[in-house]
Amino acid sequence: MNKLEELKQGKLVAVIRGARPDQIVPIARALKEGGIRTLEITVETPKVCDLIEKVKEEFGDDIIAGAGTVLDPETARATIMAGAEFIFSPTVNVETIKMTKRYGTISIPGALTPTEILTAYEHGADIIKVFPADVLGVGYFKNLKGPLPHIPLMPTGGVNLGNLASFLKAGAVAAGLGGSLINPAKLISDEDYAELTETAKKFSAIVQNS
């Protein structure tokens, strides 16, 4: 099974934003224990390339690690060279998609309108991140699948324990989980990381039951 199929099978992508470098490996470990194996480390994280390398060294194929908030092809290439297995973007940047695919890496740009979604897909994106998903909600997401059933879509932004099942039922191939899963500022003690694992288990259970 290739990485794209693994990502789709796991359904859940944890978005790690605002974390300190020393938190990344403990977060990855806590999420893995909770059943979430795909991690997006946003590129504004200090030493992000070193951290991607460290996660891959620590966990190997047990974790799929990628870069998030990638706005340009240069950043995409740098993180891919560090071992990023997918590139997430909040927008449709055609050159970033091309660079990502040039290196055989999974491309997941962010889009909201049907035109943006189709544009990204026609330029080679593997999955389109519907972002921000909570602004227009599950109904909008479901309506997108009507005329665009062949395009793999994943909601990101505002996906939580209350609406994840609805997004999956509406046809999401995966979902991005941010603040509803991880708040690095509140991860201080071992108990905090244990609570993160329990939250991850709750999201994983929804996937298993969907």
Side-chain angles (χ1 to χ4, degrees), residues 97-165:
I97 296 171
K98 289 180 179 179
M99 178 67 76
T100 302
K101 299 314 297 177
R102 182 177 300 161
Y103 287 95
T105 304
I106 300 166
S107 171
I108 308 179
L112 188 61
T113 68
T115 298
E116 291 172 342
I117 290 168
L118 184 59
T119 298
Y121 188 69
E122 288 179 337
H123 282 90
D126 296 288
I127 299 173
I128 313 302
K129 179 178 73 170
V130 179
F131 173 82
D134 61 337
V135 172
L136 298 178
V138 176
Y140 176 74
F141 187 89
K142 184 177 181 180
N143 286 336
L144 286 172
K145 294 297 292 183
L148 304 172
H150 58 294
I151 301 181
L153 302 178
M154 66 172 290
T156 302
V159 179
N160 53 49
L161 289 168
N163 61 22
L164 173 60

Side-chain angles (χ1 to χ4, degrees), residues 4 7-8 13 38 40 67-70 85-92 96-97 100-101 105-111 120 124-130 152-154 156 173-174:
L4 178 58
L7 189 156
K8 289 180 180 179
V13 179
T38 305
E40 170 195 337
T69 319
V70 177
E85 295 168 293
F86 59 83
I87 298 295
F88 267 54
S89 301
T91 60
V92 178
T96 299
I97 296 171
T100 302
K101 299 314 297 177
T105 304
I106 300 166
S107 171
I108 308 179
D126 296 288
I127 299 173
I128 313 302
K129 179 178 73 170
V130 179
L153 302 178
M154 66 172 290
T156 302
V173 299

Side-chain angles (χ1 to χ4, degrees), residues 53-80:
E53 289 181 1
K54 190 171 184 179
V55 167
K56 293 309 299 180
E57 288 172 2
E58 182 82 18
F59 300 99
D61 289 336
D62 288 340
I63 290 288
I64 303 171
T69 319
V70 177
L71 302 177
D72 54 74
E74 294 80 11
T75 303
R77 184 182 185 280
T79 56
I80 290 168

